[in-house]
Amino acid sequence: MANRWQNDLTFSDVTPEAVFFNRRKFITGAAGLGLSALAGPALADKLEPNSWQEITSYNNYYEFGTRKEDPAKYAGALTTEPWSVKIDGLVERPGDYDLQDILSEMTIEERIYRFRCVEAWSMVVPWNGFELADLLDMVGVRPEARYVAFETLYRPEEMPGTRFPVLDWPYREGLRLDEALHPLTLIATGIYGKPVPKQNGAPLRLVVPWKYGFKSIKSIVRITLTDTQPPTSWNMSIPNEYGFYSNVNPNVDHPRWSQATERRIGGGLFSRRVPTLMFNGYENEVAGLYDGMDLAKNY
Ligand SMILES: Nc1nc2c(c(=O)[nH]1)N[C@H]1C(S)=C(S)[C@@H](COP(=O)(O)O)O[C@H]1N2
Ligand SMILES: [Mo]
C-alpha cells in the first residue's frame, strides 16, 4: 500500500547503510559550498538516520534487562523461528497466523521515522515494514471493535529480565482503533533493509511514530480487537506517569522531567539536544485524531 501517505523523511528507495552514509557526506558537502539555506539544520536533521550501531546497541527491552546495553547482550537467546501471531477478539477470521503467511500477504516498504522515547532521548530509524491497517484488513475487523491490544512473547527461560517484577509480564500495549488504522502506524520487520535484530523486537514489532517509544511494543505474539480500552503495561505500573495515549507532546511534561527537548542519540560528542516536536513532527498527519480532546488530561 505504498504512497497512501507522503513520508517527509523518504529521500530515495535505498536501504543499505553505506548509501545513507554517502548521502550524509553529500549534505555536509553541500553545506560547505554555501548551500546551507537548502540543506539547513531542519533538512539535515530529517535526512540523517542513526547508524545501525546506535540503533542496535542502545535499547529498551526490559524482558532482557533494564540497562540500555542489556538487550544487545542477552536477546541473542531469543528463539524467533518458528513465529506465529494469534489474532483474536472482534475479528472475522481469528486464528494463529504463521509469520510467513502474514508476510506473503503484506507489502513491505521503507519508512524513515523519528523515534522519541519518553525518557527524552530520540533517534531516526529507517524501518522496513507494513501498515498495521493492512494486517487488520486481512483478518477483518468487526464493526463493534474500538481498540487493538498487543502482547509481547513471554518466555522466561529466554528472557532473563522477566525474573524481576519490573513490569507485570507479558508486556502489553494498546491503541484506539483509529490510531491503529492510521497509515503511519507500522508493523516493522526490518531496519536498514535487514531483519529487525532481536534487541529491537524481532521478528515483528509495532512502530507508532507520534507516540512515546514504549507504545511501540516488541516481538508481538498476540493482537486482540476489543470494544473496551485494554490494560497496558506502563500505565498499569505507574498510571500517573504513563497514560494510555502517550502522544509525544513538548507542552505536557512528565511528572519528573521536561518533555520540551530531547537528546538525539549520535556518535558520542555529536549527541545533541533538539526541540521536541508536537506529535513528534507528525502533527499534520495525526492531530485530527484528537480533535476536542484535552491532551494534558489524556496524556
Ligand atoms: N516488549 C517490550 N517492548 C518494548 C519495550 C520493552 O521493554 N518490552 N520498551 C519500549 C520502549 S520504552 C522503547 S523506547 C522502545 C525501544 O525500541 P528500540 O530498542 O528499538 O529503540 O521499545 C518499546 N517496546
Ligand atoms: Mo521508551
Side-chain angles (χ1 to χ4, degrees), residues 59-63 115 117 152 171 200 205 213-214 216 218:
N59 300 100
N60 276 335
Y61 198 164
Y62 278 17
E63 287 87 333
F115 188 88
C117 176
T152 292
Y171 195 101
N200 293 87
R205 57 91 57 87
F214 68 85
S216 293
K218 296 179 166 181

Side-chain angles (χ1 to χ4, degrees), residues 59-66 68 71 78 83 85-86 115-119 121 148-156 159 161-175 199-202 204-208 211-224 230-238 242-246:
N59 300 100
N60 276 335
Y61 198 164
Y62 278 17
E63 287 87 333
F64 296 99
T66 55
K68 296 288 182 274
L78 185 67
W83 194 273
V85 182
K86 180 186 285 300
F115 188 88
R116 171 52 158 93
C117 176
V118 74
E119 299 162 337
W121 55 265
V148 187
F150 304 86
E151 267 181 40
T152 292
L153 176 76
Y154 176 57
R155 192 182 286 152
M159 296 175 147
T162 61
R163 276 186 243 127
F164 309 97
V166 193
L167 290 169
D168 180 11
W169 315 107
Y171 195 101
R172 272 161 279 183
E173 258 309 330
L175 296 171
Q199 60 266 39
N200 293 87
L204 80 172
R205 57 91 57 87
L206 184 67
V207 179
V208 192
K211 291 178 179 285
Y212 291 120
F214 68 85
K215 299 292 293 183
S216 293
I217 183 172
K218 296 179 166 181
S219 307
I220 297 168
V221 291
R222 186 172 182 189
I223 300 177
T224 309
T232 55
S233 291
W234 279 105
N235 180 252
M236 287 188 285
S237 171
I238 320 181
Y242 307 107
F244 177 81
Y245 285 96
S246 287

